Structure formats: structure tokens, C-alpha cells
């Protein structure tokens, strides 16, 4: 008698039948030598110039370790040339001048990056800017992929497995270990292949024109200036309500930021946010009281005790007491709308529902259809248009002025106009 078999869902069976991803352990041709000196970097530029086609570009920073967001390693790969790894900080010369030959070569064709908005600012600091780009992460979002990190997309589209590596490492460390350089080179190894694969998916979905508009916008995009009161982003500040204690948070934050910027060390490594909140609420006025608090009893904090005590003393005497909430030039948090402006809350709820339907229909996340901040501003400030205009025209004008691309307006204006009319 044959043994009975349990039914296996079709999705699980299909998943089992897919071939296992092939581990990508080392770059073709091995790990390139690191270009450090001025002459080595110039040779790297000549090497790239000898290749053809688009450039796969990536950069490594030292977020969480350094105050600055500068690039400590630049990786570039091009067909016919291979991969170059460039150290932009150790050559002892002006990095913009030193990397000028690389920047010039990179203007001759398209760049392919993954999460371009993370790398473009630090590359721009080096004088390296694209004339044309393709962002594979953003392309994955437009294609409706649920996972758009590099490893997930490489496995899904190329059948290759990128091993977890050193993305969160301190890339300001010198010398850079060989296994780190191997990881960095692999980040650009198949980036152009990934670009071609996701471009084919988007072409099948009829979204190629959308990517052209998005990438042109991304190339020209400049982030909004950081809000004035950056100290208000201190983790745990929501626990502090007293204006004098808030002043203490501000003064401690400014003192820490000054040290961090001068020493180019991440502020959290100078003094954790939790210690700032603790000191601001306890308000110690002597070294003995300060060092009795958690964290401040350590050797390094004992050495800086006068800095922190001076900051707390300034907070006790200042007449510039901050309010519990920072003044904003935009709408308040949506959670407060129902009480303060219920008609705006109703508009926002209808707009979100309408955008969700569009998102499901075209398989694009709502935040990529239109910026959530733009939607909030539209619903908060909305006033019916004059009789010689229409709701559709008014919404379209609002989105255009807010920087929405044509493809976004084509999809969202009808849905938002209908929601606002209702």
C-alpha cells in the first residue's frame, strides 16, 4: 500500500523547486589593489577610461563612528576595465583635485548605484557627480518588490547570494582589511547585471518612462536643510517637559556636538543620548553628583566633567527657555488633526484610502507614488478652488509646485481630486 503524502501548497512547492542561489564569494579577477597615492588614483582613472559602458559606483562611509558623512572608500566597476578601489582620504592632498581625473571619466556614461541618495552626497563632496544615473533600489520599489536591499534583489534576479559583510563597519580604519576590500568589490561586481535585469522587469510592466523621470529627479535632488533645532532629535527627549530641563538637553547636546565635530567622532560615542537626558533631568551641580550618574562615572566622562557641568550651569541661568514643541512651518502631526481640524483629518483619511487603491493597482508603494508630506500639506491647507477652476486643476498645480513628477501626477491627481471633492 502506497504511503499517503501531505498536500503541499503550490507556493511552497514552487519555492522548493527554485535552484539554490550561488554564493558570490570573491570578485572575478580577485580583489583589486587599493589605489591610495595620487599617481595610483590617476592610473585608476586611466584604467576606467579604457573600458566601455556604464559605471557601477558605490561608496563606504563610517556612519556611527565619525561625525562627518564623508566617503572613506569609493568602488567603481566598468566592463572591459574591471573594478578599482579608491582611498579618497589617505593621499595627503586635496581630494577634489586628486580625484578630478576619475570624476572626468565618470561623466562619459551612466552610473549604476543602489540606494543612490545615500552615496551621492559624499561623492559630490569629492567633486564626483553623475550626468546620468540608474538606481537599482528605487527601480525595485517601482517594480513592486517587497525586498529591495541589494542582496535580496541580486538573489531574486540573478540567482546569486551576496554574503553578509562589513557594511556597518568603521571604514575610516586604516589599513583596510582584505576581507573588507573583498566585500566592497563585490558590492559593484554585478550591479550592472542587476540594472539590466530590473530594467527588463520594469519594461514588461510598462514603467520604463517612470524610471527615467525618477532618476532625473534624483540626480538633481537636493535634500531640504536640516531643521534648526537638531538637538530636539535627542533620543528620549519626549520624556522631558520642563523648559529648564529642555534647556539642559540643548546645552549638553551643543557641548557634545562641538567636541564631536572637532574630533570627527560620532556624537553618540562622545556621550550617549540617554546620558544627556539623565543629566538634564537630574541636574547635578557638582562633579561628585555628576559622576554618580550612569555613564558619567567612567574615566573618559570624568575627564570631561567640567564641560558637562558648565553646560548644565548655562541651562540654569539662560533666559532663552525652549518650548516643549518646536515651531513648525508645516501641518502638525496627523494624530492631532481630528481635534484641531476635523475636516482636514477627514480629507487625509480619504486621500490615503484613494492612494492605497492606486498603489495596489500599479504595484508601487504609496510613498513612491507621492510624498506623504505633500499629501499631508495638501489636505491640511486645502481650500476649494474658485469657480473658474476645477479641483483636478488645483490638485495638479499643488503637486507640480511640490515637485511631483508627471507620471506621479497622472496617477494620483484623479484619485486625490475625487477624495477631496467627496
Amino acid at each position: 500500500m502506497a504511503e499517503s503524502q501531505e498536500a503541499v501548497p503550490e507556493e511552497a512547492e514552487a519555492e522548493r523547486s527554485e535552484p539554490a542561489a550561488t554564493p558570490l564569494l570573491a570578485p572575478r579577477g580577485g580583489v583589486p589593489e587599493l589605489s591610495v597615492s595620487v599617481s595610483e588614483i590617476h592610473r585608476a582613472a586611466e584604467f576606467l577610461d579604457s573600458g566601455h559602458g556604464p559605471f557601477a559606483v558605490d561608496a563606504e562611509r563610517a556612519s556611527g563612528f565619525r561625525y562627518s558623512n564623508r566617503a572613506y572608500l569609493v568602488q567603481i566597476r566598468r566592463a572591459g576595465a574591471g573594478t578599482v578601489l579608491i582611498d579618497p582620504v589617505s593621499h595627503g592632498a586635496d581630494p577634489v583635485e586628486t580625484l578630478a581625473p576619475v570624476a572626468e571619466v565618470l561623466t562619459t556614461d551612466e552610473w549604476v548605484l543602489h540606494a543612490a541618495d545615500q552615496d551621492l552626497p559624499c561623492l559630490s563632496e569629492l567633486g564626483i557627480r553623475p550626468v546620468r544615473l540608474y538606481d537599482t533600489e528605487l527601480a525595485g520599489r517601482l517594480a513592486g518588490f517587497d525586498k529591495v536591499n541589494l542582496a535580496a534583489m541580486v538573489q531574486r534576479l540573478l540567482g546569486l547570494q551576496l554574503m553578509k559583510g562589513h557594511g556597518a563597519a568603521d571604514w575610516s580604519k586604516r589599513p583596510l582589511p582584505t576581507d573588507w576590500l573583498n566585500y566592497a568589490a563585490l558590492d559593484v561586481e554585478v550591479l550592472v547585471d542587476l540594472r539590466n535585469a530590473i530594467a527588463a522587469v520594469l519594461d514588461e510592466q510598462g514603467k520604463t518612462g517612470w524610471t527615467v523621470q525618477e532618476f532625473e529627479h534624483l540626480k538633481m535632488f537636493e535634500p531640504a536643510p536640516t531643521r534648526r533645532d537638531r538637538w530636539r532629535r535627542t533620543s528620549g527627549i519626549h520624556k522631558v517637559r520642563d523648559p529648564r530641563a529642555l534647556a539642559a538637553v540643548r546645552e549638553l547636546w551643543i557641548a557634545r556636538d562641538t567636541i564631536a565635530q572637532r574630533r570627527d567622532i560620532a556624537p553618540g560615542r562622545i556621550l550617549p543620548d540617554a546620558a544627556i537626558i539623565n543629566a538634564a533631568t537630574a541636574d547635578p551641580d557638582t562633579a561628585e553628583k555628576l559622576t554618580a550618574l550612569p555613564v558619567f562615572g567612567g574615566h573618559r566622562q570624568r575627564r570631561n566633567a567640567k564641560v558637562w557641568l558648565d553646560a548644565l550651569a548655562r541651562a540654569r541661568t539662560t533666559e532663552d527657555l525652549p518650548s516643549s514643541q518646536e515651531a513648525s512651518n508645516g501641518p502638525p502631526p496627523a494624530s492631532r488633526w481630528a481635534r484641531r481640524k476635523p475636516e482636514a483629518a477627514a480629507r487625509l483619511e480619504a486621500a490615503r484610502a484613494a492612494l492605497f487603491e492606486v498603489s495596489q493597482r500599479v504595484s508601487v508603494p504609496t510613498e513612491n507614488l507621492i510624498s506623504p508630506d505633500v499629501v499631508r500639506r495638501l489636505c491640511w491647507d486645502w481650500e476649494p478652488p474658485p469657480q473658474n477652476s476645477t479641483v483636478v486643476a488645483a490638485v495638479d498645480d499643488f503637486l507640480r509646485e511640490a515637485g511631483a513628477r508627471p507620471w506621479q501626477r497622472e496617477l494620483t491627481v484623479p484619485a486625490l481630486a475625487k477624495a477631496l471633492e467627496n
Side-chain angles (χ1 to χ4, degrees):
M1 184 175 180
E3 295 183 6
S4 62
Q5 296 181 341
E6 292 186 13
V8 179
E10 291 183 9
E11 294 84 353
E13 188 64 39
E15 189 173 320
R16 289 181 190 176
S17 64
E18 291 180 2
T22 303
L24 192 59
L25 302 177
R28 289 164 284 184
V31 180
E33 292 292 329
L34 184 61
S35 299
V36 180
S37 68
V38 173
S39 59
E40 289 170 343
I41 293 173
H42 286 204
R43 281 198 298 272
E46 295 172 355
F47 187 57
L48 291 169
D49 194 35
S50 69
H52 56 85
F55 301 91
V57 181
D58 192 22
E60 303 295 344
R61 296 169 299 281
S63 303
F65 296 92
R66 296 291 179 176
Y67 184 89
S68 66
N69 199 37
R70 69 187 300 183
Y72 284 93
L73 182 70
V74 178
Q75 310 101 280
I76 310 169
R77 182 175 180 83
R78 194 183 196 191
T83 300
V84 298
L85 303 178
I86 297 174
D87 180 344
V89 298
S90 301
H91 44 70
D94 177 12
V96 174
E97 181 179 340
T98 302
L99 271 71
V102 176
E104 183 177 356
V105 172
L106 287 173
T107 62
T108 60
D109 215 310
E110 176 185 84
W111 293 17
V112 182
L113 308 98
H114 192 82
D117 59 335
Q118 297 181 24
D119 293 328
L120 289 178
C122 66
L123 292 169
S124 180
E125 288 181 2
L126 299 172
I128 304 176
R129 300 175 182 87
V131 293
R132 194 167 75 255
L133 66 83
Y134 197 102
D135 185 343
T136 51
E137 183 197 50
L138 181 51
R141 294 183 185 279
L142 295 178
F145 287 9
D146 55 343
K147 295 180 181 179
V148 294
N149 63 75
L150 183 60
M153 289 186 63
V154 165
Q155 179 164 342
R156 174 171 180 168
L157 294 174
L158 304 179
L160 298 173
Q161 182 182 6
L162 282 174
M163 310 306 291
K164 292 183 179 180
H166 309 282
D170 180 6
W171 287 89
S172 65
K173 176 181 177 179
R174 293 297 183 271
L176 289 169
T178 302
D179 59 329
W180 292 21
L181 296 177
N182 182 79
Y183 164 85
L186 286 175
D187 268 358
V188 292
E189 179 77 8
V190 292
L191 208 48
V192 173
D193 294 338
L194 181 63
R195 176 246 188 270
N196 295 335
I198 188 62
V201 172
L202 288 165
D203 189 52
E204 291 178 1
Q205 295 179 355
K207 298 175 180 176
T208 299
W210 301 0
T211 65
V212 172
Q213 296 175 37
E214 284 301 290
F215 299 153
E216 184 63 22
H217 172 76
L218 182 59
K219 187 188 74 174
M220 306 298 295
F221 176 73
E222 292 186 7
T226 304
R227 73 183 190 182
R228 182 173 55 86
D229 291 342
R230 291 189 296 139
W231 61 270
R232 290 184 183 272
R233 291 183 291 184
T234 306
S235 179
I237 198 171
H238 63 280
K239 304 173 186 175
V240 183
R241 297 297 181 186
D242 178 68
R244 191 65 66 181
L246 281 173
V249 173
R250 180 185 63 199
E251 296 302 324
L252 287 166
W253 187 96
I254 291 172
R256 180 187 69 174
D257 195 67
T258 301
I259 297 171
Q261 188 170 12
R262 185 179 70 245
R263 296 173 57 190
D264 193 18
I265 296 176
R269 291 180 173 269
I270 300 294
L271 185 68
D273 281 7
I276 288 180
I277 300 299
N278 199 7
T281 51
D283 192 26
D285 55 2
T286 66
E288 290 74 18
K289 292 178 181 177
L290 177 69
T291 54
L293 297 176
V295 177
F296 289 97
H299 172 71
R300 184 172 57 184
Q301 299 307 334
R302 285 177 177 273
R303 190 174 56 195
N304 291 329
K306 186 176 185 306
V307 174
W308 311 130
L309 288 171
D310 287 348
L312 290 166
R314 288 193 296 273
R316 291 189 203 100
T317 58
T318 184
E319 296 181 2
D320 180 21
L321 293 178
S323 63
S324 59
Q325 295 177 0
E326 182 180 15
S328 174
N329 61 357
S335 59
R336 301 176 190 162
W337 288 22
R339 177 173 51 86
R340 292 183 54 180
K341 201 172 182 180
E343 68 277 16
R347 287 194 291 265
L348 183 61
E349 183 179 359
R352 286 174 168 172
L355 290 174
F356 179 77
E357 291 181 6
V358 177
S359 170
Q360 294 296 298
R361 174 165 53 85
V362 299
S363 296
V364 173
T366 53
E367 63 269 22
N368 291 109
L369 282 177
I370 197 73
S371 163
D373 179 65
V374 171
V375 177
R376 286 191 294 269
R377 289 174 181 269
L378 172 68
C379 294
W380 181 261
D381 297 329
W382 175 254
E383 292 183 2
Q387 290 184 350
N388 61 348
S389 183
T390 65
V391 173
V392 169
V395 172
D396 190 56
D397 288 344
F398 187 96
L399 297 191
R400 183 187 297 108
E401 291 179 7
R405 274 68 76 198
W407 76 270
Q408 293 178 315
R409 302 204 311 272
E410 181 181 352
L411 287 172
T412 61
V413 166
L416 289 172
K418 184 177 180 180
L420 293 173
E421 283 179 325
N422 292 337

